[in-house]
């Protein structure tokens, strides 16, 4: 290591100081792994009496792993992002351990026994060559990965980390958990903790730190204080005063998932017809005052605001005055070690902007945080049944996608029905609520503008999510309904929306009244680099397949090529396959696409937009059907002219069907057998001429 020793960055020192025997290290991008870490720490502490340190690897030195006591244990909770990449907060450790060549490691020998009990004389490091760079012979570790099997590199960081740590001499305790978000990551996590927690506990129980045999009791991590007036700096975290004071001189490298930029919405429009079943919104955001660089094809992450119905419900069931100014501080035995990143001013602002108040409460949180507050028998029985009876939990919580506020309301209703006396009534606190709920997570959107054409503004193309549960309850996607409310408010500032914009966020944008005096709200975002890129040479042919909101990045690609063509730069053949339900209602960006393609095709007859409207006729017609009709063109552009092929949108079925069609085109047009068509496709990928931007 090149840097000097800093005890604050030494996790073994921290463990020693705090008398802890387990360290939980999380690689988290949008907060899920961070939340699992918080929950697992609680379980290890309350059910197994372990003393747990939670660690964000960005704040610690990797080298300190080698100094963890041999009778202690490190638990990794590792999310996958992008195309099988580690999260930003894990990136430094990962690069040092694995190197840059992350996709080439071979996992054929990662045949792990499903249960490893290190207290029984087993040495699983024997098969691997020992690497003395970072001696980890003393390290014991457990690992759970968060991934999605829709993606090609499923849980790659977890597999690579496991392999690498073992090659450095570390010993694996318990099964390697490969959580799959495509199915149900909470179920996978529960299975894994069920197996891993007792092994971890057994392992550290012999440690010199010792384990207190008296059972631990749940205590909230935060102390909430009500104040009479709002303090000037109500923050407990990294408020960024420099943003307020001097926007133009901000070091832009500071804008990341932990430090979002508050940008102003410029304008928006609905892309679908009013009679369409789906509402798709185009929203433009201003980067003018920060000069935040982005590249066409990047993603923007947006932190949404919760809708008021759920905010009010929680205030109601907790009997709180939302406008009351509050301050937060850590309690001495906090299991959560992370402050909320911006200034907190009131109960309402916390519920609107910082906590996820809609995700169903997982079973372990019911057990560890809600149950301790149940004093009446009916409440205890209800919560215990949710914890113990899988089907009951599914029917009551999961199927109706019950929010935390509704769950607490349910407890109250049960107690009312059973005439529970006031002194025994369920009396939940706001500090416990902070522990119960995850932080609100940012949502990603494929940027639908071109940085060449509009370097100072980005656009989003989002479909508003509304659905009915099987028992007929309406549910709303948080971020897309936030976007919807932004649109409604921009079009009519007097709109009565279920989302309140006046908030802490307001203070950031009030300083920037240059052009936006009518808009009094700002949207926290950051930009995440992607690998979804146009060819560096604009004359290279491209074929894009993007049904529905899959059009988003291609709108950026097309605007870029249109802009280049207008500026007399030679642009190669540009083909877009776009699909949606009905031509008259759902032809997104119709006018501008037709305009762009009129220009592009005047210099290149192969440039065209080819549409597939699935519901305009009896039989479904999808983009892949149109691809088949245009097989010769696709083969010519991609194979003969070395073009690039892109897919964006639904990763569950569409992208797989499109890939299968592309391979069939290779078989038919290139006269390749199935095996050779597959290796043709692999070559396309390996030469960076195939890229996908898909989401589950
Ligand atoms: P949430 O509040 O997060 O709700 C979504 C959740 O609701 C789902 O996870 C599911 O658990 C649940 N749910 C949904 N439907 C049902 C149902 N029928 N029954 C039961 N439960 C259900 N979206 C776009 O619109 N445009 C884009 O360009 C875009 N780009 C993306 C790029 C990337 C890299 C990724 C990862 C995602 C992208 N998305 C895009 C998706 C986007 O990030 C959000 O997931 C989406 O907009 C929904 O967010 P939300 O907050 O409105 O919904
Ligand atoms: P459908 O909803 O009528 O079935 C955007 O959602 C468009 O993608 C819609 O026209 C939708 O059609 C279509 N679509 C659904 N499943 C698809 C698949 N597997 N492949 C391609 N397009 C699909």
């Amino acid at each position: 290591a090149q840097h000097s020793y800093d005890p604050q960055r030494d996790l073994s020192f921290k463990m020693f100081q705090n008398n802890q025997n387990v360290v939980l290290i999380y690689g988290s991008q949008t907060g899920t792994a961070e939340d699992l870490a918080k929950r697992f720490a609680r379980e290890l502490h309350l059910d197994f009496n372990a003393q747990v340190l939670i660690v964000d690897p960005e704040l610690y030195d990797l080298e300190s792993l080698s100094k963890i006591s041999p009778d202690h244990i490190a638990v990794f909770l590792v999310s996958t992002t992008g195309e099988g990449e580690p999260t930003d907060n894990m990136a430094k450790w990962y690069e040092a351990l694995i190197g840059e060549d992350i996709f080439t490691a071979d996992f054929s020998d990662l045949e792990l026994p499903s249960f490893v009990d290190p207290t029984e004389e087993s040495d699983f490091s024997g098969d691997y060559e020992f690497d003395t760079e970072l001696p980890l012979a003393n390290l014991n570790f457990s690992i759970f990965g968060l991934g999605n099997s829709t993606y090609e590199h499923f849980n790659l960081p977890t597999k690579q980390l496991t392999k690498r740590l073992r090659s450095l001499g570390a010993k694996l305790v318990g099964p390697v958990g490969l959580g799959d978000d495509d199915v149900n990551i909470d179920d996978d996590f529960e299975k894994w903790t069920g197996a891993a927690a007792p092994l971890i506990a057994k392992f550290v129980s012999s440690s010199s730190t010792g384990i207190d045999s008296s059972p631990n009791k749940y205590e909230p991590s935060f102390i909430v204080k009500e104040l009479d007036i709002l303090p000037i700096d109500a923050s407990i975290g990294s408020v960024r005063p420099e943003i307020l004071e001097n926007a133009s001189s901000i070091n832009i490298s500071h804008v990341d998932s932990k430090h979002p930029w508050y940008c102003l919405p410029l304008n928006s429009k609905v892309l679908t017809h009013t009679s369409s079943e789906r509402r798709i919104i185009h929203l433009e955001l201003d980067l003018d005052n920060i000069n935040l660089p982005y590249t066409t094809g990047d993603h923007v992450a947006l932190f949404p605001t919760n809708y008021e119905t759920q905010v009010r419900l929680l205030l109601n069931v907790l009997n709180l005055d939302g406008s009351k100014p509050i301050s937060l501080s850590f309690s001495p035995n906090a299991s959560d070690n992370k402050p909320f990143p911006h200034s907190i001013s009131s109960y309402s602002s916390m519920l609107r902007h910082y906590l996820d108040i809609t995700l169903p409460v997982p079973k372990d949180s019911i057990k560890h945080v809600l149950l301790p507050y149940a004093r009446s028998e009916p409440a205890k029985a209800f919560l215990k049944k949710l914890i113990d009876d899988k089907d009951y939990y599914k029917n009551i919580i999961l199927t109706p996608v019950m929010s935390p506020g509704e769950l607490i309301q349910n407890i109250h209703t049960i107690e009312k029905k059973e005439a529970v006396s006031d002194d025994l009534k369920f009396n939940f606190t706001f500090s416990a609520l902070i522990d119960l709920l995850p932080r609100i997570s940012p949502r990603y959107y494929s940027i639908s503008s071109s940085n060449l054409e509009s370097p100072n503004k980005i656009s989003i193309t989002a479909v508003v999510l509304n659905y009915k549960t099987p028992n007929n309850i309406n549910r709303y996607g948080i971020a897309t309904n936030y976007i919807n409310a932004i649109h409604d408010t921009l079009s009519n500032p007097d709109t009565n929306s279920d989302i309140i914009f006046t908030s802490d966020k307001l203070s950031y944008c009030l300083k920037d009244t240059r052009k936006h005096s009518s808009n009094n709200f700002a949207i926290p975002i950051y930009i995440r680099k992607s690998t979804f890129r146009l060819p560096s040479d604009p004359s290279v042919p491209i074929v894009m397949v993007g049904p529905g909101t899959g059009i988003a990045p291609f709108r950026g690609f097309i605007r870029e090529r249109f802009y280049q063509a207008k500026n007399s730069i030679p642009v190669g053949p540009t083909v877009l396959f776009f699909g949606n339900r009905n031509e008259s209602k759902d032809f997104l960006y119709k006018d501008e696409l037709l305009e762009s393609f009129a220009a592009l095709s005047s210099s290149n007859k192969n440039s065209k937009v080819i549409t597939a409207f699935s519901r305009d006729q009896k039989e479904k017609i999808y983009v892949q059907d149109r691809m088949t009709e245009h097989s010769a063109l696709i083969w010519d552009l991609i194979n003969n002219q070395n073009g690039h092929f892109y897919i964006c949108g639904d990763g569950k079925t569409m992208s797989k069907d499109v890939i299968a069609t592309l391979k069939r085109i290779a078989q038919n047009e290139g006269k390749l057998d199935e095996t050779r068509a597959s290796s043709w496709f692999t070559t396309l990928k390996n030469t960076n001429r195939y890229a996908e931007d898909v989401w589950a």
Side-chain angles (χ1 to χ4, degrees), residues 474-487:
N474 285 314
R475 296 289 178 199
Y476 307 95
I478 298 302
T480 51
N481 281 282
Y482 173 57
I483 290 169
N484 192 29
I486 293 169
H487 166 75

Side-chain angles (χ1 to χ4, degrees), residues 171-187:
K171 286 174 208 68
L172 180 69
V173 177
V176 175
L178 298 180
D180 187 357
D181 201 25
D182 193 38
V183 191
N184 184 337
I185 211 135
D186 247 4
D187 273 356

Side-chain angles (χ1 to χ4, degrees), residues 82 151 181 280 299-300 304 356 358-359 398-399 401 441-448 460-470 475-483 549-550 552-553 648 693-696:
Y151 295 89
D181 201 25
I280 299 180
H299 297 126
V300 58
D356 190 315
T358 51
L359 271 182
L398 292 184
T399 308
V401 199
S441 63
R443 272 67 163 177
Y444 285 116
Y445 294 91
S446 305
I447 293 178
S448 59
I460 285 175
T461 309
V463 55
V464 180
L465 173 66
N466 298 321
Y467 62 92
K468 265 193 191 333
T469 65
R475 296 289 178 199
Y476 307 95
I478 298 302
T480 51
N481 281 282
Y482 173 57
I483 290 169
T549 45
C648 179
D693 178 15
V694 296
W695 52 89

Side-chain angles (χ1 to χ4, degrees), residues 278 547-548 579-581 614-615 620 622-624 653-654 657:
R278 302 202 306 163
N580 223 341
R581 294 178 180 183
S614 55
R615 302 188 189 185
K620 289 268 166 113
Y622 286 160
V623 280
Q624 56 269 35
T653 56
M654 184 278 293
D657 294 347

